[in-house]
């Protein structure tokens, strides 16, 4: 049966226009049923303006929108009638198989935890983006949901990331590494020491030990485990350095006529490289540990990125990841 | 009077050959007096082999070398007669004005703290490298000396970095930013919250609040304050992403004949860019908070980088940074 994907019509920089276009593409190409959350009147107005046929889309009418300026916790009170909160409640109540939003990440983490709830036995959800490495992608868990973590949380991030990379991304035996300041076992602080022990002891994942940040953009691991503070720093440092360097290259290519001519020669190869480095290709980040599939779509997502994200969300919903995580967490608790 | 700079003859990837060459350059160009620590016989042998005149260099003969594989604490016991330990002891005993080593950073931090000691009132030394940003450089403090920090340590890192950037790098009113997961005051964990308050309260530094890792490679701040775990992750993520991206660009330029021809056109500009991004230009990192000037030279330093590092070490020794840090730390303690 076609999966019902609830989509936040008002999340992200290009909502609702690009969201509607992306949903149309997803319905047509992936055969999913789309449930939109957001103000019905505005959705219809936008659909007619941009010429998107929303026939067959269900709409959960609601008055509010969570903005990037809102506090994450506003989703529970001031913005409990926002498109994000209403979408999450619909997911919790079984009105859809998964929820995708390009809105405020912090609010989505809070809403996932408090409205949809965590998988039994899971201590914290992780915001787990996919990022480019020398070949393919790695998952960062946690990329920013939890500033302060205990070792057991890092253990669970490793477990959840490993299951996701297998079941959704199709990787066999994903390598799980612990982000640290050196590769030796004794490196880092107490959090890393204890997490190292816990991760090493798990038979159900392929823990490869500590990895250094320097090796992450190469092929250090398929799942990079860390607390959310460190993960957020890594994620943003990655983006910042890549953008700054690209800017420098652009400046060289625009410097004078001969450089511009040279740039024209390599243009297509540079575009291919940019695409390879563009993590929009993978649409976003699952909120791992949530009891139902919630997917954070990039804030800058346009129609095609949203469609890619919905495709992953469908895979997430079709897989038995959540059951598997629950079983692994329970098994551990029974020990 | 000419400054006496003690140099670890056996630290770094290119020791002792490039170290000796760099010391010769420093003696000739900067007029410093060089004191070498290391096995005399080997120093003389290398000098004669590579044709470096070491006339006028003083040698502190000692049998051992700290390797990159040694534990940092080995400097106090197993390797207490290493070139690094002997150099640090000579500095502590007043046999020179500063010490520079391209050897094991961890050992240098431990040795600085235990042999040379900290400035009175300073809780921890910081490893404080200079790194490129869109224009010029910023200082990262702490870049990896302390995995776990208290808020007062971060406050002192900000203070010490600010004084160094003024007195050695010649920046007026350097902007001090706290590395965090968002710019708002309430972002981050307890460490960041408390450090934010302490840094805000200081009248003697220009604290600009929280900065995001994404903005660091642009021009977010002149001094980036963080715990050493976060700093080490930032430093290595910076290196890793920059290297990985450079590799990708190189591959594009070598892909086929037309790309090779295009590469030839922009070659000089690319070289200039690489030089601009090359943090070897600034030679390394001071160990801030040490009671006498200790400077970590890049492990990969060749003669010219070492000379640059020695030039900074001289400036460090000539400035009254250490007195100023002591006064600021004491003033705070008196409050």
């Amino acid at each position: 049966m076609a999966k019902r994907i609830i989509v936040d019509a008002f999340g992200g920089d290009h909502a609702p226009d690009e969201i509607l276009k992306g949903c149309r593409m997803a319905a047509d190409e992936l055969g999913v049923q789309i449930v939109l959350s957001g103000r019905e009147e505005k959705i219809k107005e936008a659909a007619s303006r941009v010429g998107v046929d929303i026939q067959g889309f269900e709409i959960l009418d609601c008055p509010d929108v969570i903005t990037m300026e809102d506090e994450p916790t506003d989703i529970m009170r001031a913005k409990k009638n926002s498109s994000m909160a209403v979408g999450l409640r619909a997911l919790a109540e079984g009105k859809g198989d998964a929820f995708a939003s390009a809105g405020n990440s912090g609010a989505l983490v809070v809403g996932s935890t408090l409205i949809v709830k965590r998988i039994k036995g899971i201590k914290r959800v992780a915001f787990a983006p996919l990022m480019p490495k020398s070949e393919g992608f790695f998952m960062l868990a946690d990329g920013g949901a939890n500033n302060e973590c205990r070792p057991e949380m890092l253990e669970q991030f490793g477990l959840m990331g490993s299951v996701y990379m297998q079941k959704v991304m199709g990787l066999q035996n994903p390598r799980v590494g612990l982000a640290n300041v050196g590769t030796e076992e004794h490196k880092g602080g107490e959090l890393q020491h204890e997490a190292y022990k816990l991760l090493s002891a798990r038979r159900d994942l392929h823990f490869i030990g500590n990895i250094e940040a320097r090796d992450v953009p190469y092929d250090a691991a398929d799942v990079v485990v860390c607390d959310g503070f460190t993960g957020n720093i890594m994620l943003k440092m990655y983006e910042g350095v890549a953008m700054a360097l690209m800017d420098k290259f652009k400046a060289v290519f625009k410097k004078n006529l001969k450089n511009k001519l040279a740039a024209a020669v390599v243009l297509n190869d540079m575009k291919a490289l940019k695409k390879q480095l563009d993590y929009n290709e993978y649409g976003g980040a699952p909120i791992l540990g949530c009891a139902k599939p919630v997917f954070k779509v990039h804030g800058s997502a346009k129609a095609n990125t949203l469609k890619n994200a919905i495709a992953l969300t469908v895979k997430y919903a079709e897989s038995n990841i959540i059951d598997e995580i629950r079983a692994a967490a329970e098994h551990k608790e029974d020990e």
Side-chain angles (χ1 to χ4, degrees), chain A residues 118 122-126 146 150 153 156-157 160 288-289:
Chain A
R118 293 192 297 268
I122 292 297
K123 293 171 199 305
R124 288 285 187 282
V125 302
N146 312 280
R150 293 193 307 274
M153 296 174 192
Q156 293 188 337
F157 298 161
M160 298 191 295
L288 291 178

Side-chain angles (χ1 to χ4, degrees), chain A residues 178 180-188 192-193 196 209-212:
Chain A
L178 179 64
N180 209 332
V181 297
T183 53
E184 302 91 335
E185 187 173 342
H186 66 273
K187 289 286 180 176
Q192 286 75 31
H193 299 163
Y196 190 103
N210 290 325
I211 54 172
E212 286 202 83

